[in-house]
Amino acid sequence: MSHVLTIENLSFKYHKKRVLTDISFSTDPGEFISIIGPNGSGKTTLIKLISKINKPEKGNIHIKGENIQTMSNKQLARHIAVVMQSVEPVAMSVEEYVLLGRLPFFKKYQFFETAKDMALAHKYMELTGILKLKDAPINEISGGERQLAAIARALTQQPLLLILDEPTSHLDITHQIKILELISSLKQELSLSILMVLHDLNLAAEYSDRLVLLGGENGKIYQTGTCEQVLSEKSIQEVYNTKVKIQKNPVSKRPCIFLVTQNALNPE
Ligand code: ADP
């Protein structure tokens, strides 16, 4: 099986500040990978490199075997779609916003969407549960609904790889689970490769097939592997400098992280 995304020996500096060093990993179709790591460990920078917002200092990024540096932004947008942390409350309807996902497919001198574009936008608004909001202004729906609209827009790009940077960070637990359940179902239904930055380690453990833990020495990957391999008390202590206990979630059997507070360690 050929990889969707292949990252080889990627390094990056902001001016003189080294942020990422020698990053290598790949994703397969239908695979859900979460990038985890402490604040400042380079998660968003990695996404910016894959989206061609920044250029690597060293190393290569390939999508389906093609180096992204040789692709135009429009070509890249036909393969990868990115959902950022929050959606700007722009003055347009949900439907207009979702249709923006079809822009990479517009032909020269095409100004209006085709019937196919409209059908795709409707299909993915339906799949994400926001079709009923299609005429609502984006700036008048809730944060969770806006995030669903951003996912619908990304899906109308029909990407091979869906990248999400903390898509649940501003949402309550109901909406966090709703979005992660949706994304999990998409990876199977659409055979999408998912790359997600997640702060919440327990959510990452529940939904991811594999984890990439940033925060190694000098911006290296500390560890990649299954959730069981990567989430250990030792790795969390070393990378996050925080004491935790890890046990199996009694329902999913995935690793579940418990904070160890000073109060609990030293009860009065
Ligand atoms: P994370 O997403 O893991 O919190 P980031 O990728 O945002 O980490 O940041 C990694 C490091 O790069 C941080 O130390 C941050 O201060 C620095 N950084 C991020 N963006 C810039 C920038 N535009 N210019 C200079 N330094 C930056």
mmCIF file of all heavy atoms in Angstrom, residues 12 14-15 17-20 36-48 54 85 165 197 199 214, ligand 1:
data_model
loop_
_atom_site.group_PDB
_atom_site.id
_atom_site.type_symbol
_atom_site.label_atom_id
_atom_site.label_comp_id
_atom_site.label_asym_id
_atom_site.label_seq_id
_atom_site.Cartn_x
_atom_site.Cartn_y
_atom_site.Cartn_z
ATOM 1 N N PHE A 12 13.283 22.253 10.692
ATOM 2 C CA PHE A 12 12.824 23.626 10.470
ATOM 3 C C PHE A 12 13.289 24.535 11.602
ATOM 4 O O PHE A 12 13.299 24.145 12.771
ATOM 5 C CB PHE A 12 11.291 23.663 10.399
ATOM 6 C CG PHE A 12 10.747 25.032 10.118
ATOM 7 C CD1 PHE A 12 10.797 25.582 8.847
ATOM 8 C CD2 PHE A 12 10.200 25.789 11.153
ATOM 9 C CE1 PHE A 12 10.314 26.855 8.593
ATOM 10 C CE2 PHE A 12 9.712 27.065 10.912
ATOM 11 C CZ PHE A 12 9.768 27.600 9.637
ATOM 12 N N TYR A 14 12.848 28.760 12.999
ATOM 13 C CA TYR A 14 12.359 30.134 12.841
ATOM 14 C C TYR A 14 13.566 31.016 13.124
ATOM 15 O O TYR A 14 14.047 31.047 14.260
ATOM 16 C CB TYR A 14 11.265 30.470 13.856
ATOM 17 C CG TYR A 14 9.904 29.888 13.537
ATOM 18 C CD1 TYR A 14 9.348 28.901 14.336
ATOM 19 C CD2 TYR A 14 9.169 30.346 12.443
ATOM 20 C CE1 TYR A 14 8.090 28.377 14.059
ATOM 21 C CE2 TYR A 14 7.911 29.831 12.166
ATOM 22 C CZ TYR A 14 7.381 28.855 12.975
ATOM 23 O OH TYR A 14 6.141 28.343 12.698
ATOM 24 N N HIS A 15 14.054 31.730 12.133
ATOM 25 C CA HIS A 15 15.293 32.503 12.266
ATOM 26 C C HIS A 15 16.376 31.556 12.793
ATOM 27 O O HIS A 15 16.700 30.599 12.125
ATOM 28 C CB HIS A 15 15.081 33.741 13.140
ATOM 29 C CG HIS A 15 13.842 34.498 12.713
ATOM 30 N ND1 HIS A 15 13.751 35.120 11.483
ATOM 31 C CD2 HIS A 15 12.639 34.659 13.312
ATOM 32 C CE1 HIS A 15 12.545 35.647 11.359
ATOM 33 N NE2 HIS A 15 11.847 35.374 12.444
ATOM 34 N N LYS A 17 16.020 29.907 15.699
ATOM 35 C CA LYS A 17 15.452 28.998 16.700
ATOM 36 C C LYS A 17 15.039 27.663 16.066
ATOM 37 O O LYS A 17 14.157 27.622 15.196
ATOM 38 C CB LYS A 17 14.239 29.670 17.339
ATOM 39 C CG LYS A 17 13.668 28.863 18.444
ATOM 40 C CD LYS A 17 12.549 29.586 19.120
ATOM 41 C CE LYS A 17 11.962 28.674 20.152
ATOM 42 N NZ LYS A 17 10.833 29.211 20.814
ATOM 43 N N ARG A 18 15.688 26.592 16.526
ATOM 44 C CA ARG A 18 15.373 25.263 15.979
ATOM 45 C C ARG A 18 14.046 24.786 16.562
ATOM 46 O O ARG A 18 13.860 24.789 17.781
ATOM 47 C CB ARG A 18 16.506 24.311 16.351
ATOM 48 C CG ARG A 18 16.238 22.883 16.026
ATOM 49 C CD ARG A 18 17.504 22.106 15.784
ATOM 50 N NE ARG A 18 18.261 22.637 14.642
ATOM 51 C CZ ARG A 18 17.894 22.501 13.371
ATOM 52 N NH1 ARG A 18 16.783 21.864 13.070
ATOM 53 N NH2 ARG A 18 18.611 22.997 12.407
ATOM 54 N N VAL A 19 13.108 24.407 15.699
ATOM 55 C CA VAL A 19 11.789 23.976 16.183
ATOM 56 C C VAL A 19 11.559 22.484 15.907
ATOM 57 O O VAL A 19 11.069 21.759 16.763
ATOM 58 C CB VAL A 19 10.663 24.831 15.550
ATOM 59 C CG1 VAL A 19 9.301 24.361 16.004
ATOM 60 C CG2 VAL A 19 10.844 26.298 15.927
ATOM 61 N N LEU A 20 11.928 22.033 14.714
ATOM 62 C CA LEU A 20 11.748 20.611 14.384
ATOM 63 C C LEU A 20 13.062 20.049 13.840
ATOM 64 O O LEU A 20 13.741 20.716 13.051
ATOM 65 C CB LEU A 20 10.644 20.447 13.336
ATOM 66 C CG LEU A 20 9.228 20.847 13.765
ATOM 67 C CD1 LEU A 20 8.279 20.878 12.569
ATOM 68 C CD2 LEU A 20 8.683 19.884 14.829
ATOM 69 N N ILE A 36 0.836 14.760 19.120
ATOM 70 C CA ILE A 36 0.711 15.280 20.479
ATOM 71 C C ILE A 36 2.071 15.807 20.929
ATOM 72 O O ILE A 36 3.098 15.531 20.291
ATOM 73 C CB ILE A 36 0.181 14.195 21.458
ATOM 74 C CG1 ILE A 36 1.074 12.947 21.427
ATOM 75 C CG2 ILE A 36 -1.251 13.820 21.138
ATOM 76 C CD1 ILE A 36 0.735 11.925 22.496
ATOM 77 N N GLY A 37 2.053 16.567 22.001
ATOM 78 C CA GLY A 37 3.304 17.126 22.528
ATOM 79 C C GLY A 37 2.987 18.409 23.270
ATOM 80 O O GLY A 37 1.943 19.018 23.043
ATOM 81 N N PRO A 38 3.890 18.842 24.138
ATOM 82 C CA PRO A 38 3.623 20.038 24.943
ATOM 83 C C PRO A 38 3.510 21.296 24.096
ATOM 84 O O PRO A 38 3.898 21.279 22.910
ATOM 85 C CB PRO A 38 4.846 20.139 25.862
ATOM 86 C CG PRO A 38 5.674 18.936 25.612
ATOM 87 C CD PRO A 38 5.195 18.250 24.397
ATOM 88 N N ASN A 39 3.037 22.368 24.710
ATOM 89 C CA ASN A 39 3.004 23.668 24.027
ATOM 90 C C ASN A 39 4.402 24.007 23.537
ATOM 91 O O ASN A 39 5.377 23.795 24.250
ATOM 92 C CB ASN A 39 2.574 24.774 24.996
ATOM 93 C CG ASN A 39 1.113 24.650 25.344
ATOM 94 O OD1 ASN A 39 0.335 24.045 24.601
ATOM 95 N ND2 ASN A 39 0.732 25.213 26.470
ATOM 96 N N GLY A 40 4.469 24.513 22.327
ATOM 97 C CA GLY A 40 5.766 24.949 21.804
ATOM 98 C C GLY A 40 6.614 23.823 21.247
ATOM 99 O O GLY A 40 7.765 24.036 20.868
ATOM 100 N N SER A 41 6.069 22.591 21.157
ATOM 101 C CA SER A 41 6.897 21.476 20.659
ATOM 102 C C SER A 41 6.892 21.393 19.136
ATOM 103 O O SER A 41 7.552 20.523 18.560
ATOM 104 C CB SER A 41 6.444 20.149 21.285
ATOM 105 O OG SER A 41 5.090 19.897 21.002
ATOM 106 N N GLY A 42 6.140 22.276 18.459
ATOM 107 C CA GLY A 42 6.229 22.340 17.002
ATOM 108 C C GLY A 42 5.077 21.705 16.246
ATOM 109 O O GLY A 42 5.149 21.507 15.025
ATOM 110 N N LYS A 43 3.961 21.433 16.922
ATOM 111 C CA LYS A 43 2.837 20.751 16.266
ATOM 112 C C LYS A 43 2.256 21.603 15.132
ATOM 113 O O LYS A 43 2.074 21.134 14.012
ATOM 114 C CB LYS A 43 1.734 20.417 17.303
ATOM 115 C CG LYS A 43 2.229 19.543 18.447
ATOM 116 C CD LYS A 43 1.147 19.212 19.460
ATOM 117 C CE LYS A 43 0.599 20.380 20.247
ATOM 118 N NZ LYS A 43 1.574 21.057 21.131
ATOM 119 N N THR A 44 1.967 22.872 15.469
ATOM 120 C CA THR A 44 1.379 23.752 14.447
ATOM 121 C C THR A 44 2.394 24.033 13.337
ATOM 122 O O THR A 44 2.036 24.086 12.152
ATOM 123 C CB THR A 44 0.898 25.066 15.104
ATOM 124 O OG1 THR A 44 -0.076 24.710 16.085
ATOM 125 C CG2 THR A 44 0.277 26.017 14.107
ATOM 126 N N THR A 45 3.656 24.153 13.713
ATOM 127 C CA THR A 45 4.700 24.378 12.702
ATOM 128 C C THR A 45 4.738 23.205 11.714
ATOM 129 O O THR A 45 4.853 23.411 10.498
ATOM 130 C CB THR A 45 6.073 24.533 13.407
ATOM 131 O OG1 THR A 45 5.962 25.617 14.328
ATOM 132 C CG2 THR A 45 7.179 24.787 12.422
ATOM 133 N N LEU A 46 4.605 21.996 12.226
ATOM 134 C CA LEU A 46 4.611 20.817 11.351
ATOM 135 C C LEU A 46 3.449 20.894 10.356
ATOM 136 O O LEU A 46 3.622 20.640 9.159
ATOM 137 C CB LEU A 46 4.530 19.544 12.216
ATOM 138 C CG LEU A 46 4.524 18.213 11.496
ATOM 139 C CD1 LEU A 46 5.769 18.043 10.617
ATOM 140 C CD2 LEU A 46 4.448 17.051 12.488
ATOM 141 N N ILE A 47 2.281 21.295 10.837
ATOM 142 C CA ILE A 47 1.121 21.426 9.950
ATOM 143 C C ILE A 47 1.359 22.515 8.911
ATOM 144 O O ILE A 47 1.007 22.362 7.734
ATOM 145 C CB ILE A 47 -0.149 21.681 10.789
ATOM 146 C CG1 ILE A 47 -0.530 20.355 11.433
ATOM 147 C CG2 ILE A 47 -1.287 22.232 9.948
ATOM 148 C CD1 ILE A 47 -1.795 20.383 12.196
ATOM 149 N N LYS A 48 1.998 23.601 9.336
ATOM 150 C CA LYS A 48 2.283 24.683 8.375
ATOM 151 C C LYS A 48 3.265 24.228 7.296
ATOM 152 O O LYS A 48 3.191 24.675 6.154
ATOM 153 C CB LYS A 48 2.847 25.897 9.113
ATOM 154 C CG LYS A 48 1.786 26.653 9.892
ATOM 155 C CD LYS A 48 2.376 27.888 10.507
ATOM 156 C CE LYS A 48 1.316 28.698 11.233
ATOM 157 N NZ LYS A 48 1.932 29.691 12.127
ATOM 158 N N ASN A 54 4.972 27.263 5.396
ATOM 159 C CA ASN A 54 6.410 27.456 5.616
ATOM 160 C C ASN A 54 7.184 26.426 4.798
ATOM 161 O O ASN A 54 6.646 25.371 4.451
ATOM 162 C CB ASN A 54 6.753 27.291 7.100
ATOM 163 C CG ASN A 54 6.238 28.445 7.934
ATOM 164 O OD1 ASN A 54 6.145 29.570 7.454
ATOM 165 N ND2 ASN A 54 5.886 28.164 9.161
ATOM 166 N N GLN A 85 -7.996 25.662 14.137
ATOM 167 C CA GLN A 85 -8.618 25.617 15.473
ATOM 168 C C GLN A 85 -9.977 26.264 15.535
ATOM 169 O O GLN A 85 -10.886 25.782 16.167
ATOM 170 C CB GLN A 85 -7.719 26.341 16.461
ATOM 171 C CG GLN A 85 -6.608 25.490 16.935
ATOM 172 C CD GLN A 85 -5.757 26.200 17.964
ATOM 173 O OE1 GLN A 85 -6.196 27.110 18.632
ATOM 174 N NE2 GLN A 85 -4.528 25.763 18.072
ATOM 175 N N ASP A 165 -6.079 20.973 13.101
ATOM 176 C CA ASP A 165 -5.267 21.519 14.186
ATOM 177 C C ASP A 165 -6.191 21.836 15.358
ATOM 178 O O ASP A 165 -6.936 22.817 15.308
ATOM 179 C CB ASP A 165 -4.537 22.791 13.715
ATOM 180 C CG ASP A 165 -3.522 23.267 14.738
ATOM 181 O OD1 ASP A 165 -3.371 22.618 15.791
ATOM 182 O OD2 ASP A 165 -2.871 24.297 14.488
ATOM 183 N N VAL A 197 -3.842 17.403 15.265
ATOM 184 C CA VAL A 197 -3.169 17.868 16.475
ATOM 185 C C VAL A 197 -4.192 17.846 17.592
ATOM 186 O O VAL A 197 -5.282 18.403 17.441
ATOM 187 C CB VAL A 197 -2.640 19.311 16.305
ATOM 188 C CG1 VAL A 197 -2.135 19.854 17.637
ATOM 189 C CG2 VAL A 197 -1.536 19.361 15.271
ATOM 190 N N HIS A 199 -4.619 18.243 21.905
ATOM 191 C CA HIS A 199 -4.025 18.513 23.215
ATOM 192 C C HIS A 199 -4.446 17.464 24.228
ATOM 193 O O HIS A 199 -3.687 17.098 25.108
ATOM 194 C CB HIS A 199 -4.529 19.870 23.738
ATOM 195 C CG HIS A 199 -3.505 20.926 23.607
ATOM 196 N ND1 HIS A 199 -2.289 20.853 24.215
ATOM 197 C CD2 HIS A 199 -3.495 22.076 22.910
ATOM 198 C CE1 HIS A 199 -1.584 21.919 23.908
ATOM 199 N NE2 HIS A 199 -2.300 22.673 23.106
ATOM 200 N N LEU A 214 5.709 14.651 19.798
ATOM 201 C CA LEU A 214 6.802 15.608 19.640
ATOM 202 C C LEU A 214 7.318 15.981 21.026
ATOM 203 O O LEU A 214 6.690 15.672 22.025
ATOM 204 C CB LEU A 214 6.323 16.857 18.898
ATOM 205 C CG LEU A 214 5.904 16.653 17.434
ATOM 206 C CD1 LEU A 214 5.456 17.983 16.831
ATOM 207 C CD2 LEU A 214 7.036 16.055 16.605
HETATM 208 P P1 ADP B 1 2.852 23.983 19.266
HETATM 209 O O1 ADP B 1 1.847 24.013 18.151
HETATM 210 O O2 ADP B 1 3.366 22.601 19.580
HETATM 211 O O3 ADP B 1 2.406 24.699 20.510
HETATM 212 P P2 ADP B 1 4.320 25.808 17.563
HETATM 213 O O4 ADP B 1 4.594 25.069 16.311
HETATM 214 O O5 ADP B 1 3.214 26.803 17.560
HETATM 215 O O6 ADP B 1 4.153 24.767 18.768
HETATM 216 O O7 ADP B 1 5.635 26.574 18.018
HETATM 217 C C1 ADP B 1 6.905 25.937 18.127
HETATM 218 C C2 ADP B 1 7.943 26.962 18.551
HETATM 219 O O8 ADP B 1 8.148 27.899 17.490
HETATM 220 C C3 ADP B 1 7.550 27.786 19.761
HETATM 221 O O9 ADP B 1 8.671 27.954 20.565
HETATM 222 C C4 ADP B 1 7.085 29.105 19.192
HETATM 223 O O10 ADP B 1 7.349 30.148 20.074
HETATM 224 C C5 ADP B 1 7.935 29.226 17.932
HETATM 225 N N1 ADP B 1 7.196 29.945 16.862
HETATM 226 C C6 ADP B 1 5.976 29.644 16.389
HETATM 227 N N2 ADP B 1 5.619 30.493 15.390
HETATM 228 C C7 ADP B 1 6.667 31.345 15.246
HETATM 229 C C8 ADP B 1 6.921 32.463 14.373
HETATM 230 N N3 ADP B 1 6.031 32.843 13.445
HETATM 231 N N4 ADP B 1 8.104 33.119 14.523
HETATM 232 C C9 ADP B 1 9.015 32.734 15.437
HETATM 233 N N5 ADP B 1 8.843 31.688 16.272
HETATM 234 C C10 ADP B 1 7.688 31.006 16.200
#
